[in-house]
Amino acid sequence: MDTITYFKERFEQLQANPVDTHIKAMRDEAFSEFEQTGIPTVKHEEWKYTRINDFFGKDYHFTTDLKEQSFTAADLEKLQLPGHEEANLIVFINGHFHPELSHTRSGELEITSLQAATTHAQYGAIVKEHLGHSASYHKDGINALNTAFIQEGVFVHVFKSKAASHPIYFYNITDARSGNIFAQPRSLVHVAENAQVQMVETFVTVGADESFTNQVIELVVEKDAILDLYKIQNDEPNSKVVSTTHVHQVGKSVANVVTVSLNGGLIRNNLNMVMSAEHCEANMFGLYLGDQQTHIDNHTVVDNRQPHCLSNELYKGVLNGNSTGVFNGKIFVRQIAQKTNAYQSNRNILLSDNASVNTKPQLEIFADDVKCSHGCTVGSLDEDALFYMRSRGIEEKTATALLLHGFALDVLEKIRHENVRAFVEELVVKKLDL
């Protein structure tokens, strides 16, 4: 059975169930897009170096039955991030939001199912305006497939003029203990005017079978709001992840996103920063450490749609073994977006002859009063610095690890949550123990 037919049968089963008319219409439109475009191949320019269509020839367990879950609270306890006792928890199992495993500790925000938010008196308008906005930036079948199968997603609302007293931890868990799993988590987060929130995302595969997670999270940031999002990817070699993060700054606001990719079979991160108001600030920092056969692909878009906006982007990669890396960063400056300041840098270190990276920074500027720069580097470890440390009696393995940790540090220090930063630094140190 071909991929389109496989998903069409399941889509028709899903659409036969009762659902809000807006969601139903979105699904129909998205599945039509999927039928036209299919799973992207390397012939698609945006997927030139990342091959995912081969994975869809496998027999994945894809279900719309929320009851088919054996994952328990005891299983979750083994996977918790540090500080979880004081965090709001949002738990996805095989792509489905599980309220019974989730927990809201902050009175400054509300967490509910996407379906419930769609029919809510206040939240319904937010959902209808902003859900699916990422499709404007991703004209491919994999993004459309997630929208076509929107089911039990999650909606988060941070109340106006409130700072969330606890961070939000998102757990994207794939339970592959009894078969190959294809999961599609979906989230919409609304940070209201003058609100503040810290969020942490993690991806975990349990079990030895194959897992494929096609995740989309869309975030709306209103006037004078501050968003901090930390994405931690430290999964198993049998995992494949396509993670789309779409940040829409609809008012003057600050959005900070740090993405740390350490382990996994295939990782593709799509990050969009859309600045639709004057004086927005967007900061994007990424660190990716690849070894063995890991493939890590970071695609970013910064869309300056209004004047006087500022964006900073720094991605760093260390690739070893037979790993491969991809960085594609685009900055758009619309004609109206005068006085834009946009900076982008991608730096890579290759530790083995078999490791490789493809990097492509891009600027498309249609305004004439701007300050923009971009650049990339690919090289080996600094031999002079390594020689200096060796001459001071530091053994080569330790000296190499210290230099690489220093290389990573200016990304790690952007994680403002102390417990999370300490946890990630520990993972990085362990990874760099060459």
Side-chain angles (χ1 to χ4, degrees), residues 27-271:
R27 287 176 178 170
D28 280 330
E29 183 179 351
F31 195 80
S32 177
E33 176 74 18
F34 172 67
E35 287 185 299
Q36 294 176 31
T37 59
I39 300 299
T41 70
V42 292
K43 294 181 180 179
H44 190 297
E45 182 63 28
E46 295 300 306
W47 293 85
K48 184 177 181 179
Y49 301 107
T50 300
R51 186 186 299 273
I52 64 169
N53 59 307
D54 290 350
F55 298 119
F56 286 84
K58 298 185 178 182
D59 183 20
Y60 282 104
H61 180 62
F62 182 81
T63 178
T64 58
D65 186 355
L66 297 177
K67 297 178 181 178
E68 285 190 23
Q69 307 293 351
S70 60
F71 199 87
T72 66
D75 294 324
L76 178 63
E77 188 63 31
K78 302 173 185 176
L79 309 175
Q80 295 280 18
L81 293 170
H84 68 92
E85 304 91 346
E86 299 180 353
N88 303 283
L89 306 181
I90 294 176
V91 179
F92 285 94
I93 308 296
N94 293 350
H96 301 298
F97 171 50
H98 274 247
E100 71 278 7
L101 296 176
S102 305
H103 191 81
T104 304
R105 289 188 168 89
S106 297
E108 302 86 8
L109 57 83
E110 184 170 356
I111 300 170
T112 187
S113 72
L114 196 52
Q115 177 69 12
T118 305
T119 57
H120 189 276
Q122 177 187 356
Y123 304 148
I126 298 172
V127 173
K128 291 175 181 178
E129 181 179 358
H130 296 288
L131 184 66
H133 193 264
S134 61
S136 302
Y137 292 81
H138 295 285
K139 301 293 186 181
D140 59 50
I142 193 70
N143 183 271
L145 191 62
N146 181 290
T147 301
F149 285 90
I150 287 178
Q151 203 176 166
E152 277 302 298
V154 68
F155 176 81
V156 179
H157 175 73
V158 186
F159 298 139
K160 181 178 178 180
S161 300
K162 299 291 184 180
S165 52
H166 305 286
I168 304 173
Y169 286 4
F170 282 76
Y171 292 90
N172 296 291
I173 298 170
T174 306
D175 186 356
R177 291 177 291 188
S178 58
N180 301 331
I181 298 294
F182 182 76
Q184 299 199 104
R186 184 64 176 243
S187 306
L188 177 63
V189 178
H190 182 250
V191 188
E193 183 178 337
N194 199 36
Q196 297 183 34
V197 67
Q198 288 186 329
M199 297 168 47
V200 184
E201 284 187 285
T202 186
F203 298 79
V204 181
T205 297
V206 179
D209 290 318
E210 297 289 322
S211 77
F212 195 117
T213 300
N214 176 30
Q215 180 233 19
V216 176
I217 180 170
E218 296 170 315
L219 306 105
V220 184
V221 190
E222 299 281 0
K223 180 181 177 182
D224 295 325
I226 300 175
L227 166 70
D228 291 323
L229 173 61
Y230 310 122
K231 188 185 297 286
I232 304 168
Q233 296 168 321
N234 188 42
D235 210 346
E236 302 298 325
N238 57 318
S239 68
K240 288 83 184 171
V241 173
V242 177
S243 175
T244 298
T245 303
H246 184 79
V247 181
H248 191 190
Q249 296 175 261
V250 297
K252 173 192 171 185
S253 56
V254 178
N256 306 303
V257 180
V258 182
T259 304
V260 180
S261 305
L262 302 178
N263 290 299
L266 179 145
I267 300 171
R268 164 67 178 241
N269 294 315
N270 300 313
L271 173 60

